[in-house]
Amino acid sequence: MSGRTSLTIVLAAGEGTRMRSSQPKVLHPVAGQSLLAHVLSAAPTGAGSALAVVIGPDHHAVAEEAKRCRGDVETFVQRDRKGTAHAVLAAREALKRGADDLIIAVGDTPLISAATFARLRAALKQGASLAVLGFRAADPTGYGRLLVESGRLMAIREQADASPAEREVTLCNAGVMAFDGRKALSIIEKIGNANSKGEYYLTDAVAIVRDLGLEAVVIETSEDEVRGINTKTQLAEAEQVMQQRLRKAALEAGVTLIAPETVYLAADTTFGNDVTIEPFVVIGRGVSIGDGAVIHSFSHIVETSIGKKVSVGPYARLRRGTSLGDGAKIGNFVETKAATLDAGVKVNHLSYVGDAHIGANANIGAGTITCNYDGFSKHRTEIGAGAFVGTNSSLVAPVKIGSGAYVGSGSVITRDVPDDAMAVERNQQTNREGGAKRYREIKTRTKAPKA
């Protein structure tokens, strides 16, 4: 928001025991990104925007994820869990620096948007000291109710404390708030723990703001946007909502999804113009798809760059580090990993290409395998431009196939093939000798020492 500074504090210290997982709750994924990553990506950015995440003790993985998502983030540890206000004050050092706007968000609401944070801040700009995010619940049972009179927020009443009339209220607390940053610390420090659990609840800030004669308001959003994740069932529900959003956005951007409900996308998937995705395709994080590309059915793609007019699948698996040049073709039952395929390369059937670079317009025959792992280390295969590798060939890395070279069907290549050379059956003796040598080397390295 132009001219105003902000501090966003994301509460992410929960253990998430109801997830029945050893992994911290906020690290569980929706659309290929952690719950925490979604919230951090929605938080204000740019000049004058500060960001802090409150984590639990020994949650080093959460701190690392926060730093990976936003390099400008600070992390603070809530060592004792004494309520939400206590968690906010774990970031007291950041609060003391001051900001025009203070946003308190929670790390398990992956569907929240930057636009909603902006609406909360707009209420502060208009003079409110506190803006609380609310939603109309289809079933409000268990939620804190937002009690409003004449457009002003009077109180947040927890379910256990609500009167029968108050329990009929469907406007509920989403757990996200925004404070006038110049007054926030003094307000939060006034929150006490005179309750059955002896905890410090951020919801008590409403009464304090009213007692000070300041303005508190409600900003409404949809129930979907503030879905909190406490169980694997809720995680699956959030995934469904996110996929619907992503599919709609893709369709509106001009992507052809033949059966949208069968396609799974990641939050960071990017598309060029005139992309077509057939049914039953799974796209994980880190995937970009160029103009005119076609992804055929039952393909699985992760951390891959796909060029223009590329054809992938059906039944292809593109793994981390794959890059496909313009016009490349990956056919059925082909797997790639850490492989760069230049423009016009064809790998049509039943092949594995890993830790490799294939030059422009090379052809890789059916059943070809780059044998990149010797039991200890991965090795690279280099195939030159215009090379032709015949069917059922095994390329034992490290090895180079020169530009324009020809490898005959059924060959096992253990030595470099020069440019424009032919490697066919006469190399079989060399292949046997090379394979035997490699076997002896491995046996020597794995031989157990004598007692």
Side-chain angles (χ1 to χ4, degrees):
M1 185 171 292
S2 178
R4 295 179 68 89
T5 60
S6 70
L7 168 63
T8 303
I9 298 178
V10 179
L11 306 184
E15 294 289 347
T17 54
R18 291 168 61 191
M19 298 290 281
R20 304 298 179 95
S21 171
S22 59
Q23 181 172 246
K25 176 170 67 170
V26 297
L27 296 185
H28 285 79
V30 165
Q33 293 186 355
S34 68
L35 305 183
L36 180 60
H38 286 288
V39 178
L40 295 183
S41 66
T45 59
S49 299
L51 182 62
V53 176
V54 177
I55 66 175
D58 302 319
H59 281 190
H60 305 298
V62 177
E64 291 173 1
E65 173 69 355
K67 200 69 176 177
R68 184 192 68 80
C69 297
R70 288 278 295 267
D72 58 341
V73 73
E74 287 185 277
T75 56
F76 299 88
V77 178
Q78 184 190 20
R79 301 205 173 276
D80 300 306
R81 289 178 173 82
K82 297 181 180 180
T84 48
H86 180 264
V88 172
L89 290 176
R92 187 189 299 269
E93 180 182 338
L95 284 165
K96 285 181 178 179
R97 297 186 196 121
D100 293 321
D101 305 329
L102 170 66
I103 299 172
I104 308 298
V106 285
D108 65 349
T109 54
L111 301 172
I112 198 161
S113 68
T116 293
F117 286 141
R119 291 172 60 217
L120 288 168
R121 296 183 67 189
L124 301 180
K125 186 177 181 180
Q126 293 167 7
S129 293
L130 174 62
V132 175
L133 190 62
F135 65 99
R136 302 281 176 179
D139 179 7
T141 304
Y143 292 110
R145 307 306 203 277
L146 300 182
L147 307 182
V148 178
E149 294 181 8
S150 302
R152 296 179 177 181
L153 177 62
M154 306 305 294
I156 300 178
R157 192 81 75 228
E158 295 303 325
Q159 168 89 14
D161 301 324
S163 68
E166 289 170 342
R167 291 188 181 189
E168 294 300 314
V169 174
T170 59
L171 183 58
C172 297
N173 177 31
V176 177
M177 298 182 178
F179 290 82
D180 181 334
R182 297 160 297 181
K183 304 167 185 174
L185 183 55
S186 63
I187 292 171
I188 297 170
E189 287 180 331
K190 288 181 173 67
I191 294 174
N193 65 339
N195 53 66
S196 60
K197 292 186 177 181
E199 294 186 351
Y200 301 85
Y201 297 129
L202 198 58
T203 52
D204 291 346
V206 176
I208 294 170
V209 166
R210 304 302 317 172
D211 290 343
L212 292 172
L214 302 173
E215 188 77 9
V217 298
V218 175
I219 301 299
E220 288 193 43
T221 190
S222 68
E223 185 172 5
D224 272 344
E225 185 171 3
V226 290
R227 285 175 180 265
I229 310 299
N230 292 301
T231 66
K232 291 293 180 65
T233 298
Q234 292 171 339
L235 185 70
E237 291 170 350
E239 180 75 51
Q240 184 178 25
V241 173
M242 181 65 80
Q243 289 301 327
Q244 290 171 347
R245 282 188 185 180
L246 294 172
R247 293 164 187 155
K248 181 180 179 181
L251 289 165
E252 290 177 349
V255 178
T256 298
L257 302 178
I258 295 174
E261 69 280 3
T262 69
V263 174
Y264 283 79
L265 304 173
D268 63 350
T269 307
T270 61
F271 302 98
N273 296 321
D274 298 315
V275 170
T276 298
I277 301 180
E278 293 183 352
F280 302 104
V281 169
V282 176
I283 298 177
R285 68 182 186 182
V287 175
S288 63
I289 304 176
D291 297 350
V294 178
I295 313 300
H296 296 282
S297 295
F298 299 102
S299 295
H300 191 290
I301 307 170
V302 178
E303 296 187 41
T304 293
S305 173
I306 297 174
K308 298 177 181 179
K309 298 187 180 300
V310 168
S311 176
V312 174
Y315 295 98
R317 185 183 182 199
L318 307 184
R319 294 166 57 192
R320 181 179 183 180
T322 295
S323 177
L324 305 181
D326 295 348
K329 183 174 181 180
I330 298 294
N332 49 293
F333 302 104
V334 171
E335 179 180 0
T336 64
K337 189 272 295 183
T340 297
L341 283 64
D342 291 342
V345 170
K346 294 180 181 179
V347 188
N348 279 328
H349 324 281
L350 302 156
S351 295
Y352 171 68
V353 179
D355 296 285
H357 175 258
I358 302 179
N361 299 311
N363 182 87
I364 308 300
T368 295
I369 297 173
T370 57
C371 306
N372 57 330
Y373 184 53
D374 65 5
F376 297 92
S377 303
K378 298 290 181 70
H379 302 282
R380 288 193 62 78
T381 298
E382 300 284 342
I383 300 176
F388 183 97
V389 179
T391 60
N392 293 319
S393 294
S394 297
L395 312 180
V396 184
V399 70
K400 293 182 179 181
I401 309 298
S403 298
Y406 179 93
V407 175
S409 298
S411 295
V412 179
I413 305 299
T414 60
R415 294 185 179 182
D416 293 352
V417 179
D419 293 352
D420 300 314
M422 179 179 292
V424 288
E425 291 179 342
R426 66 173 180 269
N427 286 335
Q428 293 304 309
Q429 179 64 32
T430 300
N431 292 339
R432 286 193 294 272
E433 292 172 354
K437 181 180 179 182
R438 181 68 59 84
Y439 175 77
R440 287 194 297 271
E441 290 174 351
I442 292 173
K443 294 295 288 184
T444 299
R445 292 163 67 182
T446 58
K447 187 176 181 181
K450 293 183 179 179

